[in-house]
Amino acid sequence: MLHVLLHMARHDGPMTSEAIGTMLGTNPVVVRRTLAGLRDAGYVRSDKGHGGGWVIACDLERVSLLDVYRAVGGPRLFAIGNEHSNPDCAIEQLVNAAVDDVLRDAEALLVERLGAVSLADLSKGLDARCAGDPRWQLERVGR
Amino acid sequence: MLHVLLHMARHDGPMTSEAIGTMLGTNPVVVRRTLAGLRDAGYVRSDKGHGGGWVIACDLERVSLLDVYRAVGGPRLFAIGNEHSNPDCAIEQLVNAAVDDVLRDAEALLVERLGAVSLADLSKGLDARCAGDPRWQLERVGR
DNA sequence: CAGTCATGATACATATAAAGTTACATGACT
DNA sequence: AGTCATGTAACTTTATATGTATCATGACTG
């Protein structure tokens, strides 16, 4: 979705779900489902009808990767975690506490780092990277 | 599994897969499947026949939570990651690089922290926590 | 106003992985 | 010989994500 947002930012005029779907090698409905979160957060806007589609609706400077992550969906950052926290077992309490402690710190790091990078940062990085190479100003999507 | 290992360490005599399964609210076969990784790593031993079952086969001091994590199975630490790294799209390259950078650091932190805690540390923590409370010396499993 | 193009939304189908289940073979103890 | 336990394989169930089909709605166009 970051990929999509950056393309969208560099595209004048709306992008349709179908175009994005083709770009991602997926399906327009899936695109709508996923972008719905970003729309609800106010980061993009969608217009119906002729000439409709998806447009950036925010200041890239004020939206971080963390914002996108949260808007798009998963509260689950880790593939591991404590399932059955049985409050009756001291061993489990201790193990969970130890694992939670580590996981909390790692999540804090992720949140901090993802929160520190804005979409504008990425966009600027792209400018720098492609300076003098106008090819990349177009959408080079492929798959 | 950490839960199981600590119980096992405080249990004299082997624990059967069925007992462990009941303790975890799961199935003996699932227990065998999961513990197989720990057995292959040499952290536990399994004996067949009468009086058989699972026993700790390592020095708790020398096995970290990271070791257990790796032996038990999942190379996937994060629920997020880059799927289709399309080498033709500069935007995707940049996004992936940015996300990978953050993920690498977070994973490094996890590895460091999980590697710094041994099973013996947890066991000692349990001793400290339950000092003067002999109830917890028994398996209080429940579910 | 009719036609089309787009999203919104719902319901259903498929794919994948994890967990659970069943069944049987093997080895060990009594 | 009988029982108890693991080892293993095959199958089923469950959960989740993804893909698909369909129709309603709104917006632009001629």
Side-chain angles (χ1 to χ4, degrees):
Chain A
M1 279 305 127
L2 292 172
H3 184 184
V4 171
L5 285 172
L6 291 182
H7 270 289
M8 206 182 290
R10 293 175 162 255
H11 187 86
D12 58 334
M15 296 180 69
T16 69
S17 300
E18 186 166 357
I20 298 173
T22 303
M23 182 172 112
L24 263 51
T26 183
N27 189 291
V29 179
V30 176
V31 172
R32 285 196 271 266
R33 267 205 292 249
T34 311
L35 284 179
L38 294 174
R39 182 193 54 215
D40 295 345
Y43 303 151
V44 297
R45 186 169 48 84
S46 59
D47 290 305
K48 293 183 174 180
H50 227 105
W54 299 88
V55 196
I56 292 285
C58 65
D59 180 359
L60 295 189
E61 204 77 56
R62 305 188 68 81
V63 178
S64 68
L65 304 196
L66 181 64
D67 293 328
V68 174
Y69 173 75
R70 288 185 165 151
V72 90
R76 296 176 183 169
L77 269 169
F78 298 106
I80 59 179
N82 310 320
E83 23 260 57
H84 45 235
S85 55
N86 178 351
D88 290 347
C89 178
I91 293 184
E92 179 147 1
Q93 286 176 9
L94 191 87
V95 169
N96 285 353
V99 174
D100 282 345
D101 184 48
V102 174
L103 250 44
R104 234 192 332 269
D105 287 357
E107 179 167 350
L109 177 65
L110 272 178
V111 165
E112 180 201 326
R113 294 285 303 271
L114 290 177
V117 180
S118 71
L119 293 179
D121 293 331
L122 289 183
S123 190
K124 274 179 272 179
L126 196 61
D127 290 335
R129 182 171 188 164
C130 306
D133 190 349
R135 274 192 308 152
W136 299 116
Q137 301 309 316
L138 307 172
E139 273 103 327
R140 296 261 305 173
V141 294
R143 174 165 179 80
Chain B
M1 280 305 126
L2 292 172
H3 184 185
V4 171
L5 286 172
L6 291 182
H7 271 289
M8 206 181 289
R10 296 175 159 254
H11 187 84
D12 58 334
M15 297 181 70
T16 69
S17 300
E18 186 166 356
I20 298 173
T22 304
M23 181 171 113
L24 262 53
T26 184
N27 190 290
V29 179
V30 177
V31 172
R32 285 184 206 124
R33 266 205 292 247
T34 312
L35 283 180
L38 295 174
R39 183 194 52 215
D40 295 345
Y43 302 152
V44 297
R45 186 167 50 84
S46 60
D47 291 306
K48 292 183 174 180
H50 228 105
W54 299 87
V55 196
I56 292 284
C58 65
D59 180 0
L60 295 190
E61 204 76 56
R62 305 187 68 82
V63 177
S64 69
L65 303 196
L66 181 63
D67 293 328
V68 173
Y69 172 74
R70 287 184 167 153
V72 90
R76 295 176 184 169
L77 270 168
F78 298 105
I80 59 180
N82 310 320
E83 23 261 57
H84 45 236
S85 55
N86 179 351
D88 289 347
C89 179
I91 292 184
E92 180 147 1
Q93 286 176 10
L94 191 86
V95 170
N96 285 352
V99 173
D100 282 345
D101 185 47
V102 174
L103 252 43
R104 235 191 332 268
D105 287 357
E107 180 167 348
L109 177 65
L110 271 178
V111 165
E112 180 200 326
R113 294 285 302 271
L114 289 177
V117 181
S118 70
L119 294 178
D121 292 333
L122 289 183
S123 190
K124 275 179 271 180
L126 197 61
D127 290 333
R129 182 171 188 164
C130 306
D133 190 348
R135 274 193 307 153
W136 298 117
Q137 300 308 317
L138 307 171
E139 274 103 325
R140 297 260 304 173
V141 295
R143 174 165 175 84

